[in-house]
Amino acid sequence: MSGAHRPIVIKRKKKVAGGHHGGAWKIAYADFMTALMALFLVLWLLSTASPSELKGISEYFRTPLPVAMAGGDKNTASNSAIPGGGPDPAHVDGEQMRVDRRQETRPSDEQRRLINLEKRIESVIESKPNLRELRSQLRMAMTPEGLRIQIVDTEKRPMFELGSDRVAPYMRDILRAIAPVLNELPNRISLSGHTDSVPYVNGEKGYSNWELSADRANASRRELVVGGLDAEKLLRVAGMGARIPLTEVDGNDAANRRISILVLDKRATASITNQSVQTWSEAPPKIASPAGEDVPEESAVVVPNMALESLNDAINAP
């Protein structure tokens, strides 16, 4: 009967939280070291690759997956999943070329040269203590026609004497400092003068903002040539009066009194030089002489077609 009163003992095992004595961390560490070794291997391969090999690697990663699966990239391949390209599964529009937008926005060689010219001018200005304080009056920007360099007035430091084309000393220093830098590129140059919209007393009947802007442009041209600019590079010198104000300021603001130096690209140069070239779709018309004979070709006078008929009538009139 003594066994009936024997106490019941229940043993429960204590659960100990897992510590760092397991092997899971070794797997994570091994993965980390493998990834790190792969990274160093890729960096080493890139450092030893030639420019052509780097370009090939870049093109490989730029190729869309559907194009690669279809047999590789082609000049006429598209990034569409439909073979042949285009949104139409029936290929009504045919195969469409894949356009790389990065190529469209990438600057050309000439644009890169103009951007480098802008940096050279900035470095020249920064290297001269007497010009460094004038940096706020020098504005440079790339335009569809080329690099535009503008030297603007302020009320405290005008570039010219009031109402005159006499160049101030600091304006002369700027022009003569940048003149040799402009010779570093073969690009032609267009120079224009601008004034504010404050009119002269007599308006435009006498000496006006038109003459003043033209005179200041010519005075700036002379200073550039004295500073070393090749005179043959100058393609156009013009006075614009107050017709093209700066958009961010009022028409009477002093900043509108400025000189604009435009380093032209090839397309803008061709546009200016071809303005006087007249093309004919057919042979130039000839004016009949009073005797009814055609004037020889070498002495023919070319006139607009609209006035040709009335001119012939006047010549042949009794």
Side-chain angles (χ1 to χ4, degrees):
M1 295 298 294
S2 60
H5 299 284
R6 184 179 299 172
I8 299 174
V9 179
I10 299 175
K11 294 182 179 181
R12 289 188 174 92
K13 293 182 179 180
K14 292 183 179 181
K15 295 182 179 180
V16 180
H20 293 285
H21 57 277
W25 68 273
K26 297 179 182 178
I27 299 176
Y29 181 73
D31 291 342
F32 171 73
M33 293 302 296
T34 303
L36 196 60
M37 183 178 64
L39 173 62
F40 287 144
L41 182 60
V42 171
L43 294 177
W44 175 75
L45 290 174
L46 291 177
S47 65
T48 58
S50 63
S52 59
E53 291 173 339
L54 292 176
K55 185 177 180 181
I57 295 172
S58 174
E59 292 296 333
Y60 172 80
F61 285 103
R62 201 156 39 217
T63 303
L65 180 59
V67 176
M69 294 177 63
D73 197 8
K74 299 181 296 180
N75 291 334
T76 58
S78 72
N79 55 6
S80 173
I82 303 173
D88 187 5
H91 313 298
V92 175
D93 297 332
E95 192 171 29
Q96 297 181 358
M97 182 178 295
R98 174 166 51 88
V99 179
D100 190 349
R101 298 298 177 186
R102 286 167 293 189
Q103 291 288 346
E104 291 183 346
T105 58
R106 188 175 300 171
S108 63
D109 292 339
E110 186 175 32
Q111 288 175 330
R112 283 194 291 268
R113 287 193 293 268
L114 292 175
I115 293 173
N116 291 333
L117 177 64
E118 179 181 358
K119 295 178 180 178
R120 284 276 296 116
I121 294 175
E122 288 180 348
S123 63
V124 169
I125 298 299
E126 290 295 330
S127 64
K128 298 180 181 296
N130 61 322
L131 299 180
R132 196 176 303 144
E133 59 181 7
L134 305 175
R135 180 64 185 85
S136 60
Q137 295 178 245
L138 188 66
R139 303 184 181 185
M140 293 185 287
M142 292 297 300
T143 70
E145 295 178 315
L147 175 63
R148 176 175 289 122
I149 307 164
Q150 296 191 107
I151 308 171
V152 302
D153 262 10
T154 63
E155 293 293 349
K156 296 181 179 180
R157 190 162 44 217
M159 296 291 102
F160 295 88
E161 293 185 7
L162 183 61
S164 169
D165 63 344
R166 187 172 299 175
V167 182
Y170 28 83
M171 176 66 166
R172 183 181 300 113
D173 293 340
I174 291 179
L175 293 173
R176 295 187 181 184
I178 67 176
V181 186
L182 297 176
N183 282 332
E184 296 178 0
L185 292 183
N187 300 60
R188 307 294 290 275
I189 293 173
S190 173
L191 185 64
S192 59
H194 302 264
T195 66
D196 55 29
S197 58
V198 178
Y200 276 72
V201 176
N202 296 326
E204 297 186 359
K205 297 178 181 179
Y207 192 90
S208 65
N209 284 328
W210 288 107
E211 287 81 7
L212 179 62
S213 60
D215 291 344
R216 288 182 172 179
N218 261 315
S220 301
R221 174 192 60 81
R222 289 190 292 268
E223 293 298 335
L224 286 171
V225 173
V226 171
L229 177 67
D230 182 7
E232 295 298 323
K233 292 173 64 65
L234 286 162
L235 183 61
R236 179 175 60 186
V237 179
M240 306 302 295
R243 290 298 187 267
I244 309 178
L246 293 176
T247 57
E248 68 272 17
V249 300
D250 182 73
N252 295 339
D253 195 281
N256 287 311
R257 303 192 295 266
R258 67 196 191 276
I259 293 296
S260 179
I261 304 170
L262 185 59
V263 184
L264 301 165
D265 58 16
K266 293 180 180 179
R267 184 173 54 181
T269 301
S271 177
I272 295 174
T273 55
N274 293 335
Q275 285 179 358
S276 61
V277 177
Q278 185 177 17
T279 58
W280 297 86
S281 57
E282 54 186 14
K286 296 180 181 180
I287 302 175
S289 66
E293 299 178 355
D294 288 339
V295 178
E297 183 176 356
E298 60 272 11
S299 60
V301 179
V302 179
V303 298
N305 291 331
M306 297 176 60
L308 183 59
E309 184 176 351
S310 59
L311 183 59
N312 280 330
D313 293 342
I315 293 177
N316 295 324

